[in-house]
Amino acid sequence: MVGRQKTPLTPRYYLDNFRYVLDFVKRLYGNLLNDSEWNFIHRFEALPLDAQCLYVRFSNRKGLFFRTNKLQYNEITDLSASVNALIDAGFVERLSAHHEIMGEAALSVFTKPELLNLLPLEPEESRPLAKEKKESVVRYALHELDFAEVVTSLTTHETVVKMNFEAEGMMVKYLFFGNRGSNMTEFVVRDLGMVNFERYDESKLTARFRTRKEVEDKLLISLTNEEFYDLKEAETPADDIYNWFLNWNETRPELTEIAIPGYQKLVCRVGAFLERQKLPDQALAVYELSDRVPARERRVRLLFKNGSVEEALALCDEIAVSPLNAEERYFATDFREKILGLSEKKRTRKATTRFLSDAESVNIPAAYRHHVEAGVMNYYLENDFDAAFTENYPWRGLFGLVFWDIIYDANVSAIHHPLQRAPSDFYLPDFYLKREDLLKKRLTELDTKDDWRRHVGRMFNAKYGITNVLVDWSDELLGLVQQMIELLDIEQLRLILLEMARNVREHTRGFPDLLIWNDQGDYSFVEVKSPTDHLGPQQLHWLEFFQTIGVQGKVVRVIWEL
């Protein structure tokens, strides 16, 4: 049960990794690279070894500007010569007056005391600035001083350089990882043994993008997300953000399918932000651009709040016909009843509330107020039951172990690079649609409980420590999974795993908190609720699904004993 062993990093490990990425991108995406990107690659490959190392060091660091006298890389034999080689080849350039538009980034590489000492300031200017924060000093320099003079003062005794080809380098990494969230540190955590990835036959890895437009569309959404985050961080007025987003949305290109999920998430983020900023009409206008969860629910609530009752009812009916998850399914019924109940002056209760009110209750010492599940677990232990914390943990683990090779099957064309933690379609409907036959075949092959036990045991030992987004490794996992196999019927296990597979994003959560069982074969999955807690729609989904297939599950309401 040992994962990949730790490998000592070579002095130029980062260059090896970057060259690997370049070769990988040339092989899978060479037909999508533009002339500027090919030019970058060819010119990089022509650089001296140490210059390549220094450029990759720059590209892996935050920011575009660097002070060369602060560089310390023991594996680079002559830093000064490497800087000059990069300047001569156009990979970096010296800080100059034409960088004024990026002045804040350039000045930020200096400390506040250094700026006060180096900037061309008169004494009457310097003294009050000494009491200000660094950001204020930078702003003053950019707005009150001549930038050319600032550059001369800052670079008289040292060289400051700006990295070039940042767009081309970013695109190479984006093509490799397929997103903006991953970076070259993924190689480091792998090589240090901090994360063990599934091993693939690289000849079977497929391109994430089929066309240049797919690349640019998906990247556009990522960059717009980042711009939205920056606007919020800068405390931009909410009305300005609303106008910015609508203007962007009107001018954006027609998006390819691969970019649609990211666009839908962005719409929901902007809508939620506008709601929090007390701009309901603007939020509604944004939510109308998406049918993704939770946009439709938020639209119903906002429509009802502004008096558009008929529109709210019509949208509830639309959601009820094709709910995207448990939240939508229960919401459509509950909110419709609420609207009609108000018009008829009837009191209505949500489905989750009705289910919770019918639950049994147990008295638990108030000492467990902050550990309510532990209190209920102890209650059952004192009543001759074994008990374990479960919630989503063993169910996700069971799914990951039973279907491991199907999840990470490179033949399905959803694995695109060797550091991928999940297939690219894992949280999309395609995951089930493309693998339905394989999933059902696996469940048919596991014909007896011994088959189930042997299979999950074999996978647990063979894959222990390898990253799987559903499997949280621990020594307790296998025992819990085997206990569930022992207690449930084979057909029940099959039905639960298929239900999870149909919507991996939603149906791998919401399972009950505890599993209790005794020697007589009695068992139950127990959802624990304190007096102030409520039952979530996804939790109700699984409790009702358990009822339908005959799995023992229940809600227990806690009453505190003072």
Side-chain angles (χ1 to χ4, degrees):
M1 297 191 302
V2 179
R4 182 176 299 167
Q5 297 297 309
K6 177 177 177 179
T7 303
L9 297 178
T10 62
R12 292 188 172 90
Y13 68 91
Y14 55 91
L15 178 61
D16 295 336
N17 292 335
F18 189 73
R19 285 172 166 172
Y20 172 83
V21 168
L22 285 181
D23 290 341
F24 189 94
V25 169
K26 287 191 295 183
R27 178 167 59 86
L28 258 66
Y29 300 104
N31 62 318
L32 303 186
L33 295 171
N34 61 28
D35 291 343
S36 178
E37 290 150 4
W38 272 116
N39 178 52
F40 161 71
I41 292 172
H42 293 322
R43 290 171 65 177
F44 176 84
E45 292 172 338
L47 287 171
L49 178 63
D50 279 354
Q52 287 187 358
C53 286
L54 184 56
Y55 185 79
V56 174
R57 285 288 196 183
F58 284 153
S59 72
N60 289 341
R61 289 174 57 173
K62 187 177 181 180
L64 293 176
F65 291 88
F66 302 96
R67 301 165 64 182
T68 60
N69 68 341
K70 296 293 183 181
L71 302 175
Q72 291 185 337
Y73 301 123
N74 294 332
E75 75 280 7
I76 299 177
T77 54
D78 190 336
L79 275 168
S80 178
S82 297
V83 170
N84 289 331
L86 290 179
I87 292 173
D88 293 341
F91 278 79
V92 301
E93 60 187 15
R94 289 184 174 87
L95 174 62
S96 65
H98 81 268
H99 292 128
E100 184 170 5
I101 193 172
M102 295 177 280
E104 184 176 351
L107 269 59
S108 293
V109 301
F110 294 89
T111 66
K112 174 186 165 183
E114 288 171 333
L115 289 172
L116 292 174
N117 182 50
L118 295 172
L119 289 172
L121 296 168
E122 298 296 332
E124 58 270 20
E125 294 176 299
S126 185
R127 281 191 293 271
L129 286 175
K131 300 177 182 179
E132 300 291 335
K133 293 182 179 180
K134 175 182 171 179
E135 292 78 8
S136 298
V137 176
V138 170
R139 277 197 302 271
Y140 183 88
L142 295 176
H143 291 93
E144 303 298 331
L145 303 177
D146 181 77
F147 191 71
E149 293 182 12
V150 167
V151 169
T152 300
S153 297
L154 294 178
T155 59
T156 297
H157 301 294
E158 67 175 299
T159 299
V160 179
V161 297
K162 175 196 166 288
M163 186 178 75
N164 292 332
F165 292 112
E166 60 270 25
E168 290 80 3
M170 180 270 289
M171 179 59 79
V172 166
K173 295 176 185 177
Y174 187 78
L175 285 168
F176 180 82
F177 290 108
N179 61 74
R180 290 271 290 165
S182 301
N183 55 49
M184 299 298 289
T185 59
E186 294 286 287
F187 287 96
V188 179
V189 299
R190 178 199 65 182
D191 294 338
L192 289 177
M194 299 167 65
V195 176
N196 296 313
F197 293 93
E198 180 70 8
R199 297 189 183 214
Y200 303 104
D201 176 352
E202 294 204 9
S203 67
K204 295 183 178 180
L205 300 182
T206 56
R208 178 78 172 93
F209 307 100
R210 296 169 297 174
T211 67
R212 180 74 185 195
K213 180 164 173 53
E214 285 189 342
V215 180
E216 293 176 350
D217 284 355
K218 194 167 186 293
L219 179 57
L220 171 65
I221 301 303
S222 297
L223 295 175
T224 307
N225 256 306
E226 293 171 22
E227 187 176 357
F228 173 52
Y229 176 82
D230 290 340
L231 289 170
K232 290 192 297 179
E233 286 294 292
E235 298 183 354
T236 306
D239 274 321
D240 290 347
I241 290 181
Y242 170 69
N243 291 326
W244 159 81
F245 181 72
L246 285 193
N247 289 335
W248 171 84
N249 190 63
E250 288 176 2
T251 57
R252 66 170 174 80
E254 188 72 24
L255 298 173
T256 45
E257 184 178 349
I258 196 171
I260 296 298
Y263 170 74
Q264 301 268 18
K265 290 179 185 178
L266 174 60
V267 167
C268 291
R269 288 192 184 109
V270 175
F273 167 77
L274 294 171
E275 270 200 273
R276 291 193 298 270
Q277 298 301 310
K278 311 300 182 187
L279 296 174
D281 293 339
Q282 292 88 333
L284 180 59
V286 171
Y287 282 133
E288 286 174 348
L289 300 171
S290 171
D291 287 327
R292 181 185 183 275
V293 174
R296 294 195 296 183
E297 175 187 338
R298 301 314 307 169
R299 284 165 57 195
V300 169
R301 294 184 183 278
L302 290 169
L303 286 167
F304 178 70
K305 191 173 182 179
N306 71 17
S308 303
V309 177
E310 291 303 318
E311 286 185 61
L313 283 171
L315 188 50
C316 277
D317 291 341
E318 178 184 317
I319 295 172
V321 171
S322 57
L324 298 178
N325 65 3
E327 278 86 351
E328 282 202 336
R329 176 156 55 92
Y330 294 117
F331 167 79
T333 301
D334 292 340
F335 207 81
R336 179 179 178 80
E337 289 184 3
K338 175 182 177 179
I339 294 174
L340 296 177
L342 287 174
S343 64
E344 299 172 7
K345 297 183 179 180
K346 292 181 181 179
R347 184 178 179 182
T348 61
R349 292 192 303 166
K350 295 179 5 180
T352 51
T353 304
R354 293 193 295 271
F355 199 98
L356 185 58
S357 65
D358 295 335
E360 67 179 78
S361 59
V362 296
N363 295 328
I364 302 297
Y368 286 103
R369 280 187 184 276
H370 301 296
H371 306 282
V372 59
E373 291 89 357
V376 175
M377 183 175 176
N378 190 60
Y379 167 85
Y380 282 109
L381 290 172
E382 291 177 349
N383 284 273
D384 298 325
F385 276 87
D386 288 312
F389 292 109
T390 51
E391 203 171 5
N392 308 317
Y393 169 64
W395 291 108
R396 290 164 60 91
L398 178 63
F399 188 97
L401 293 171
V402 168
F403 298 131
W404 187 294
D405 53 327
I406 298 173
I407 294 171
Y408 292 102
D409 184 0
N411 292 312
V412 185
S413 300
I415 304 296
H416 313 295
H417 65 81
L419 306 182
Q420 204 164 317
R421 296 170 188 252
S424 57
D425 62 356
F426 200 44
Y427 297 117
L428 300 175
D430 279 358
F431 176 79
Y432 180 75
L433 296 175
K434 287 160 61 176
R435 298 168 181 81
E436 181 177 2
D437 291 342
L438 291 172
L439 297 169
K440 289 181 176 179
K441 182 174 183 291
R442 171 58 46 79
L443 294 176
T444 301
E445 292 169 347
L446 302 178
D447 191 43
T448 68
K449 290 197 175 187
D450 281 341
D451 292 337
W452 282 76
R453 281 188 283 264
R454 280 193 296 268
H455 180 73
V456 299
R458 184 169 60 251
M459 296 305 295
F460 184 88
N461 289 312
K463 302 296 185 180
Y464 190 88
I466 297 176
T467 189
N468 180 317
V469 290
L470 293 184
V471 181
D472 296 322
W473 294 110
S474 78
D475 292 337
E476 291 78 29
L477 175 62
L478 183 58
L480 266 177
V481 167
Q482 299 284 27
Q483 186 62 56
M484 294 196 309
I485 292 171
E486 178 64 28
L487 294 171
L488 273 64
D489 296 338
I490 291 174
E491 187 58 26
Q492 291 170 333
L493 291 169
R494 289 171 176 162
L495 291 171
I496 291 170
L497 291 191
L498 281 177
E499 181 70 3
M500 293 172 71
R502 290 186 180 98
N503 192 336
V504 176
R505 179 182 296 280
E506 300 293 342
H507 292 171
T508 52
R509 62 184 181 91
F511 289 96
D513 299 304
L514 306 176
L515 169 62
I516 62 170
W517 70 96
N518 61 22
D519 294 337
Q520 287 73 49
D522 299 320
Y523 77 93
S524 185
F525 292 95
V526 180
E527 181 64 39
V528 178
K529 293 299 174 188
S530 69
T532 57
D533 203 358
H534 70 280
L535 191 65
Q538 189 59 40
Q539 294 170 334
L540 179 56
H541 168 81
W542 277 120
L543 288 166
E544 290 187 337
F545 189 83
F546 282 0
Q547 284 182 346
T548 301
I549 65 173
V551 171
Q552 300 303 307
K554 62 182 178 180
V555 178
V556 167
R557 293 185 293 116
V558 169
I559 298 175
W560 297 122
E561 287 183 345
L562 301 176

